[in-house]
Amino acid sequence: MTSTPVGIHDLSFATTHYALDHGVLAERLGVDPDKFYLGIGQEMMSVAAADEDIVTIAAAAAKPILDRHGVDNIRTVLLATESGVDQSKAAGLYLHPLIGLPNTARVVELKQACYGGTAGLQFAAGLIARDPSQRVLVIAADIAKYELDTPGEPTQGAAAVAMLVSANPAILELEPHSGIYSADIMDFWRPNYRTAAMVDGKTSVNAYQKATQEAWTDYRRNGGRDLTEFAAFCYHQPFTKMAFKAHRHLLESQGHTAEPAEIDAALHNTTIYNRTVGNSYTASLYLGLASLLDHTGDLTGQALAFISYGSGSVAEFFSGTVQPGYREHLRTEENRDAIATRVALDYDRYRVLHETESPSDGMYHAIPEETGRPFRLAAISGHKRIYESR
Ligand code: CAA
């Protein structure tokens, strides 16, 4: 029996109003900037203005998809985040008035650290396999926040990636093979009472590498491709150097010689956007895919590997093939524009933004207009978040 091809039909990316330069951060922290540029592979990070959150960037990522494809047959909206705005209500519901989501779509929020977007993609593929006439909007949106003056601080960032998942996709067909590794580990977590993540940095780096190797082993056990068959490897990128470390570890664990030039050829184009956007948790892997497609010559028919890692932890190794004609569907100019139009953030304002807490007294709090992006958080009143289009 041949099954209907399912995968990514459209992909759109948005980020925040501000960007902080790692040169500025290094100078103020008294650190050699090469630790950031070369050591962790980051140049800048996106930072949210006071009137931005994961809802505003998710709306900005998803709107171009609805503008292009309409809402017909979108029966499910899955928003994955680990920096959500409510413990009960799904963030996707705030998108209804902002971008005109259909009332006939189920809306759910997914969480498992940085892995949530991949869960969304796989759940979407399952729903579409059951009824190929349906389409699913998957949105991965996160604002990564660590305490100031900690090793995690230079690995902050923010982005949202929205994907329309459908039968007969225009960009990437998902292959049925998948390898999974999950285990209870405290490498990175955020208790309900904290706004910044807790992390055991070195443990997390080792856990990521082990989980990658285990997920790969499971992928092969389930009939997946050989490592030599992939044109590129899209990794989750908490910082871009992590992808290179994990790939070297994976190759060596399989007895391959990990030549730096070979690793660079397989990964470099997946890291161009993340290098300047920073960690976007659930969105990071899919920003890596956007970066690869936007910066590489024709990939038609090529197999791509995807390695998703969410601390705590769940990892998945899966694969897909690039579809004929995909380049006509890319949003390369818009993606580059989203990055280029960020406003340089000065260090003092960055610290103020970082330390400002959401009001929790239930009174009316107007939020001054700061972002230049299409959607903003206008006020918090009676413990309700009030959004508006600009
Ligand atoms: N020039 C060039 N390189 C330099 C340098 C210099 N002047 N100074 C240091 N470096 C290099 C170091 O040699 C090191 O390279 P290697 O890793 O190849 O050895 C690199 O820069 C980083 O230096 P340190 O290890 O000393 O850095 P650190 O301890 O201050 O911070 C970190 C590293 C612990 C990973 C920290 O960034 C962190 O806590 N990050 C958050 C957690 C994280 O991102 N974990 C990743 C896996 S978990 C995950 O993926 C989920 C998620 O999204 C969070």
Side-chain angles (χ1 to χ4, degrees), residues 109-165:
E109 189 166 310
L110 300 174
K111 180 182 70 182
Q112 189 351 76
C114 309
Y115 171 75
T118 300
L121 188 59
Q122 296 292 16
F123 296 168
L127 286 165
I128 295 160
R130 190 177 71 168
D131 177 358
S133 73
Q134 294 191 13
R135 302 185 294 172
V136 179
L137 181 62
V138 175
I139 308 170
D142 268 304
I143 296 173
K145 191 172 170 186
Y146 294 92
E147 297 288 2
L148 294 172
D149 309 321
T150 63
E153 184 182 10
T155 68
Q156 298 176 112
V161 171
M163 294 175 277
L164 188 64
V165 185

Side-chain angles (χ1 to χ4, degrees), residues 32 34-35 39 114 146 151 155 202 204 208 236 238 245 279 311:
D32 179 353
D34 278 348
K35 174 170 178 183
C114 309
Y146 294 92
T155 68
K202 301 294 178 200
S204 72
Y208 181 125
H236 166 57
K245 266 181 192 295
N279 195 356
S311 291

Side-chain angles (χ1 to χ4, degrees), residues 90-348:
L93 289 162
Y94 291 102
L95 302 188
H96 269 263
L98 294 179
I99 62 171
L101 286 183
N103 297 111
T104 48
R106 59 176 75 84
V107 180
V108 179
E109 189 166 310
L110 300 174
K111 180 182 70 182
Q112 189 351 76
C114 309
Y115 171 75
T118 300
L121 188 59
Q122 296 292 16
F123 296 168
L127 286 165
I128 295 160
R130 190 177 71 168
D131 177 358
S133 73
Q134 294 191 13
R135 302 185 294 172
V136 179
L137 181 62
V138 175
I139 308 170
D142 268 304
I143 296 173
K145 191 172 170 186
Y146 294 92
E147 297 288 2
L148 294 172
D149 309 321
T150 63
E153 184 182 10
T155 68
Q156 298 176 112
V161 171
M163 294 175 277
L164 188 64
V165 185
S166 75
N168 304 310
I171 295 178
L172 184 95
E173 179 184 338
L174 289 170
E175 294 181 332
H177 315 293
S178 153
I180 295 167
Y181 178 74
S182 65
D184 179 12
I185 179 164
M186 295 304 281
D187 59 333
F188 168 103
W189 67 105
R190 183 165 66 84
N192 285 345
Y193 48 82
R194 287 181 58 93
T195 55
M198 310 283 306
V199 64
D200 180 341
K202 301 294 178 200
T203 301
S204 72
V205 169
N206 292 334
Y208 181 125
Q209 294 182 117
K210 175 178 164 56
T212 296
Q213 186 184 335
E214 297 285 354
W216 159 255
T217 303
D218 192 47
Y219 171 81
R220 283 295 279 168
R221 219 171 11 233
N222 287 315
R225 292 173 181 269
D226 187 74
L227 276 180
T228 54
E229 293 179 49
F230 297 110
F233 291 77
C234 296
Y235 279 82
H236 166 57
Q237 295 168 39
F239 48 94
T240 61
K241 190 80 176 291
M242 184 69 236
F244 292 88
K245 266 181 192 295
H247 196 53
R248 190 180 315 111
H249 176 87
L250 178 61
L251 290 179
E252 286 173 353
S253 74
Q254 302 309 306
H256 291 258
T257 320
E259 296 295 344
E262 188 194 330
I263 296 179
D264 202 56
L267 265 64
H268 176 265
N269 286 354
T270 72
T271 62
I272 294 168
Y273 288 155
N274 282 283
R275 199 174 160 84
T276 179
V277 167
N279 195 356
S280 55
Y281 292 160
T282 52
S284 159
L285 167 59
Y286 300 99
L287 190 54
L289 171 61
S291 181
L292 173 73
L293 298 176
D294 286 350
H295 294 98
T296 313
D298 193 5
L299 284 164
T300 302
Q302 301 282 323
L304 305 181
F306 296 89
I307 302 90
S308 186
Y309 177 73
S311 291
S313 68
V314 178
E316 183 160 348
F317 193 116
F318 61 103
S319 50
T321 46
V322 182
Q323 296 303 287
Y326 75 97
R327 291 173 111 175
E328 289 157 36
H329 303 270
L330 300 183
R331 298 173 180 276
T332 309
E333 204 178 313
E334 294 89 332
N335 292 344
R336 290 185 176 154
D337 204 46
I339 289 170
T341 56
R342 290 175 303 170
V343 172
L345 180 59
D346 75 70
Y347 186 73
D348 294 335

